[in-house]
Amino acid sequence: MNRFAQSLHLELRHIKKRPRYLILTTLGIVFSYVFFLTFMSEGQPERLPIAVVDHDASYLSRRLCHEINATQGVEVVAVYNNHSQARQAMQRQEIFAFLEIPKGTYSDILSFKRPHIALYANNTYLLGGSFTYKSLATISRLASGAVQREILRKKGYTDQAISGMIQPIELDTHTLSNPTANYQPYILTTMLPGIIGLMTLLMSVFVIHNELKRSPTGRLREMRDYPISSIWGQLFPYTFWFSLLMIMGNVVLFGFFHFTLLGSFWTLVIASVLFIVALQSMAVFLVGLLPDMHIAVCIGAIYGTLAFTMSGFSFPVCSMPSYMQGFSAIFPLRHYYLTCSEVAYFDSPAVQYLPHLVVLLAFTAMSFVGMMLIRKQINNRVSCLQ
Amino acid sequence: MNLLSHLRDIWNVSCIEFRRIFSDGGVVLLFCIATLLYPFIFGAVYSGEMVRNLPIAVVDESHCEESQRFIRKLDATPEMNVCYDCNTLQEAQTLMRMRKINGIVYFPADYGNRLAHLETARASLFCDMSSFLYYRSVLSGASAVLLDEIQHIETDRFGRTGITGENAEQLVEPIPYDDVKLYISNGGFGSFLIPALLILVLHQTLFLGMGILYGTSREQNLSVESIPIHLRGRSVFRVVIGRALTYFAIYVPMTAIVLLLFPRLFQLPHIGNISSLVLFLIPFLLATIFFCMTICNFVRARDTGVVVCIFFSVILVFLSGAVWPQAAMPKFWLYFSYIFPSTHGIQGFIRINSMGADLSQVKFEYLMLWAQAGVYFVTATSIFRTLCRHKSVKGSDIHADGLNPEA
């Protein structure tokens, strides 16, 4: 314990002497919270630009434009005369989708012919494409409904009978734990902790490597003989600081921004601390594995950024090829994401999230492997010095 | 003669830079290996493209023919599999909490009766919101079935009132619509995201590699000393050009592999005209190189370089407008995003490569990239010159270090 305190004290002195790194990373983390929370503040993209290709130029087409503009999701920014103009506008990224109304649509409706309208959505932009598509498809169906209603009225049906006729089924959609289908909670509850994790990983690699580089032989011997207390003592200020940042980050997300949290906040606190410790353990392992600091940092950066893809919060792991599914387990962010979604969205029983916490804890074992490798490195160094 | 000496200087600086790059294992790892590794990992991860066969549960309290038909159709969609048939909603919710299913469709007891009485029947859909793609798949599968079922029931109802055949068809859907999903017809996630990530990989490996290189030379006091002494004054632009040419030479084959070969190899969208792409990528590479040179001049130590560059990776994806539409971005962040070559690079590349746009349709991005290349060239040169001047004031330490400036 004494050695732990000594190492801790030593590292605190280092931090006091050169606080630049810690301040820089903290500022970076604060910036990313501010960035993401202000960037997607709408929750869902609104007023996305679309166009109408109006070959008909009738009462109906103008009415459709008004109806479209009355919806929240999309806005008609242009009315074109032909298809290629609209397509070019799409390629210039001025619109995400367009509705094409062929010539004679209105008169066709009046004479009971079925005019076909077409809607084109740009799928190269996932959110823009799918939101505009959804809005336009709804409008098209509503237009059909309006015509049906008119025809049935003419046939002498009452309004109540009509609504039963033209809408036989209603499907209430319940978006569990995210009633407004807000895009922020999907992204931010995992991405922001991921950024903190990335910083923790890189910072820990620097710190241990620097310590190995600059320490006198006496301190090196101590690290060799008592690796656990000296290395964890040295890492402890960072464990504390980054865990604190993560917990405060979660307070901001779930407290101030009211993202749904059905389960206990304390479970998230435990997950956060374990997540930071897991990444530090991976850092110790990386340092042990790669004695060259430059290479260790680069590999750390590659490993750390891949975590965002492999955690599965954007593209579900179950849809990845099976060999990649196994690969995802070596990223602590994956286990944090699973814990967080179970606790926050579902308030799952402990049986569900405990395994993830245990895996996070198991990452600590990597630090012991790392320490063994570091001991070997120190042995080589010390024998060289002697 | 003058031009010849300029060219010779540029060539010399390029050679020095080339040696500097290839003597640093970390930089080689980033420039050559990471640049090729990332695309392969992304290609493998997103090769499934779609989220299919999500397990869902149904709760059918009405046990009528219509609800059973609805359930059979749900099971037949590519998006989901009906894996559990629960007796109560609570049972299904427990399954959801145990994370066994990603959605629940609930038919209340009066579902069949209401349909029989020609009223509107209500069913409920509960979506797992832990990932956007679960929600999207469950919703789109259920909506498709709902539409089909509505038409089925309507045709049936009109039939009972004596409206049949073409008349019924006309009444069921008076204005049918054809939906055309342009460019990526299956709505694949990889086809949408990978093109943006490819540009980002080039941008970020260059940024990170240069950050490390500049940081290391600053740490070792070599950032100015490594260049010939006569180039440290007014002629410093030759150093910037020489260095930029080195990065350009390394990144031309990398870019060709990553942006031209890779989409063809992994069956990603690649309908763009190659000559437009090449013309577009030249200013992108130049702008990126000069941008990185400008920023990296401020990097004092290797470690800081890595932290700064890595930190921006995630933010740049969002700033590019590939994920969150530019039209919905707050104005401040939109203008902020114009600072980075990756924003214009990603926008232009997606449009040329995935949407078949020509150069005139990405005019704004193209001109912005050239403007960035110009501006960042000037800033890189002037900052580097200031560094040189700063050094020459403290000039004595060159000799104190005992370094040979020509080395």
Side-chain angles (χ1 to χ4, degrees), chain B residues 185-388:
Chain B
S185 50
N186 60 1
F189 191 78
S191 305
F192 137 75
L193 191 61
I194 293 178
L197 291 181
L198 292 181
I199 289 276
L200 200 74
V201 163
L202 291 173
H203 188 276
Q204 285 307 93
T205 50
L206 199 55
F207 198 6
L208 200 54
M210 280 167 76
I212 288 178
L213 210 55
Y214 277 59
T216 314
S217 44
R218 278 294 276 275
E219 264 179 9
Q220 300 168 346
N221 257 336
L222 281 174
S223 63
V224 177
E225 280 76 359
S226 61
I227 54 167
I229 205 152
H230 72 281
L231 290 179
R232 292 184 200 173
R234 206 174 276 270
S235 329
V236 81
F237 71 92
R238 281 178 248 172
V239 178
V240 174
I241 293 180
R243 287 185 173 176
L245 278 180
T246 317
Y247 299 117
F248 193 75
I250 296 175
Y251 262 75
V252 164
M254 288 298 153
T255 310
I257 296 172
V258 171
L259 297 186
L260 300 180
L261 183 69
F262 187 77
R264 283 157 181 79
L265 212 63
F266 272 75
Q267 307 286 316
L268 295 168
H270 55 269
I271 58 171
N273 182 338
I274 294 214
S275 57
S276 304
L277 262 183
V278 171
L279 282 176
F280 181 80
L281 290 172
I282 291 171
F284 166 70
L285 273 185
L286 289 177
T288 309
I289 290 168
F290 291 130
F291 168 76
C292 297
M293 273 186 171
T294 304
I295 303 290
C296 293
N297 272 325
F298 294 104
V299 173
R300 294 252 193 93
R302 193 178 172 108
D303 328 354
T304 335
V306 177
V307 174
V308 170
C309 305
I310 276 291
F311 162 72
F312 269 104
S313 302
V314 186
I315 288 179
L316 286 181
V317 185
F318 281 84
L319 276 179
S320 73
V323 179
W324 190 257
Q326 278 185 322
M329 258 183 221
K331 281 284 170 285
F332 173 78
W333 291 121
L334 182 66
Y335 294 129
F336 180 71
S337 76
Y338 289 165
I339 298 174
F340 302 97
S342 63
T343 306
H344 308 295
I346 289 174
Q347 284 289 338
F349 179 68
I350 289 180
R351 275 188 252 161
I352 297 178
N353 177 64
S354 311
M355 298 163 63
D358 55 35
L359 267 189
S360 68
Q361 287 164 330
V362 293
K363 198 166 71 187
F364 175 72
E365 283 73 18
Y366 188 63
L367 293 179
M368 279 301 273
L369 283 175
W370 276 119
Q372 279 182 339
V375 169
Y376 289 133
F377 170 67
V378 174
T379 49
T381 314
S382 51
I383 292 170
F384 195 61
R385 208 173 146 197
T386 319
L387 273 183
C388 289

Side-chain angles (χ1 to χ4, degrees), chain B residues 30 50 90 115 120 140 150 158 163 168-169 250 258 318 399:
Chain B
L30 282 165
M50 313 285 289
Q90 219 162 15
L115 285 178
T120 303
S140 76
I150 284 180
F158 292 135
I163 310 170
E169 235 172 63
I250 296 175
V258 171
F318 281 84
H399 304 291

Side-chain angles (χ1 to χ4, degrees), chain A residues 319-346:
Chain A
S319 302
M320 293 177 190
S322 46
Y323 56 94
M324 280 288 163
Q325 292 184 12
F327 183 50
S328 75
I330 65 164
F331 296 92
L333 188 59
R334 164 88 185 133
H335 306 287
Y336 177 80
Y337 158 68
L338 290 175
T339 315
C340 181
S341 58
E342 307 219 335
V343 173
Y345 292 115
F346 300 101

Side-chain angles (χ1 to χ4, degrees), chain A residues 39-346:
Chain A
F39 187 74
M40 296 187 279
S41 49
E42 286 175 356
Q44 268 195 11
E46 281 173 12
R47 310 226 68 84
L48 291 173
I50 60 143
V52 172
V53 180
D54 190 1
H55 297 287
D56 196 33
S58 62
Y59 160 74
L60 176 90
S61 56
R62 281 192 298 278
R63 173 86 191 269
L64 270 177
C65 283
H66 286 305
E67 298 281 345
I68 294 169
N69 276 334
T71 61
Q72 197 180 7
V74 291
E75 186 176 13
V76 180
V77 292
V79 178
Y80 295 110
N81 298 325
N82 60 53
H83 180 90
S84 71
Q85 275 178 335
R87 174 110 183 209
Q88 277 168 13
M90 194 180 259
Q91 281 169 340
R92 285 195 302 271
Q93 177 64 26
E94 289 165 8
I95 52 171
F96 282 102
F98 61 92
L99 190 69
E100 191 166 356
I101 305 169
K103 199 168 170 52
T105 302
Y106 190 43
S107 57
D108 280 356
I109 290 175
L110 295 181
S111 55
F112 295 107
K113 291 174 196 158
R114 299 170 76 205
H116 273 250
I117 57 175
L119 65 93
Y120 296 83
N122 181 357
N123 250 354
T124 36
Y125 295 90
L126 184 79
L127 278 184
S130 49
F131 275 103
T132 46
Y133 170 77
K134 217 170 88 185
S135 300
L136 286 186
T138 310
I139 289 286
S140 312
R141 282 200 295 278
L142 287 179
S144 268
V147 175
Q148 278 179 323
R149 189 178 290 272
E150 276 311 306
I151 297 173
L152 289 174
R153 265 196 198 137
K154 298 269 154 57
K155 286 187 188 288
Y157 287 90
T158 62
D159 274 2
Q160 203 190 347
I162 291 173
S163 66
M165 287 276 226
I166 64 179
Q167 196 176 28
I169 311 172
E170 244 178 40
L171 189 68
D172 301 329
T173 306
H174 301 266
T175 49
L176 296 177
S177 303
N178 187 351
T180 52
N182 184 344
Y183 199 65
Q184 278 184 323
Y186 294 120
I187 301 283
L188 304 191
T189 48
T190 312
M191 184 171 285
L192 291 172
I195 291 178
I196 298 182
L198 182 57
M199 295 292 168
T200 312
L201 179 81
L202 291 179
M203 197 77 185
S204 308
V205 173
F206 294 144
V207 166
I208 309 168
H209 252 309
N210 270 334
E211 187 69 9
L212 286 174
K213 203 163 67 178
R214 71 187 168 198
S215 296
T217 324
R219 166 85 180 137
L220 281 180
R221 283 216 183 94
E222 196 183 300
M223 282 173 84
R224 180 190 61 185
D225 298 337
Y226 308 98
I228 298 179
S229 51
S230 53
I231 289 183
W232 278 111
Q234 206 194 348
L235 288 178
F236 186 74
Y238 303 95
T239 318
F240 174 77
W241 182 244
F242 287 113
S243 302
L244 189 71
L245 284 179
M246 254 189 76
I247 294 164
M248 288 195 317
N250 280 337
V251 169
V252 170
L253 295 183
F254 295 105
F256 294 125
F257 280 81
H258 303 293
F259 292 177
T260 308
L261 175 64
L262 295 179
S264 150
F265 185 75
W266 294 108
T267 319
L268 281 190
V269 170
I270 295 170
S272 305
V273 176
L274 286 179
F275 172 65
I276 296 293
V277 173
L279 278 164
Q280 289 188 316
S281 306
M282 283 310 284
V284 177
F285 174 69
L286 277 178
V287 173
L289 195 69
L290 305 159
D292 183 346
M293 169 161 162
H294 301 335
I295 305 282
V297 168
C298 293
I299 297 282
I302 294 174
Y303 168 75
T305 41
L306 272 181
F308 291 102
T309 307
M310 299 307 300
S311 63
F313 76 94
S314 55
F315 188 73
V317 168
C318 63
S319 302
M320 293 177 190
S322 46
Y323 56 94
M324 280 288 163
Q325 292 184 12
F327 183 50
S328 75
I330 65 164
F331 296 92
L333 188 59
R334 164 88 185 133
H335 306 287
Y336 177 80
Y337 158 68
L338 290 175
T339 315
C340 181
S341 58
E342 307 219 335
V343 173
Y345 292 115
F346 300 101

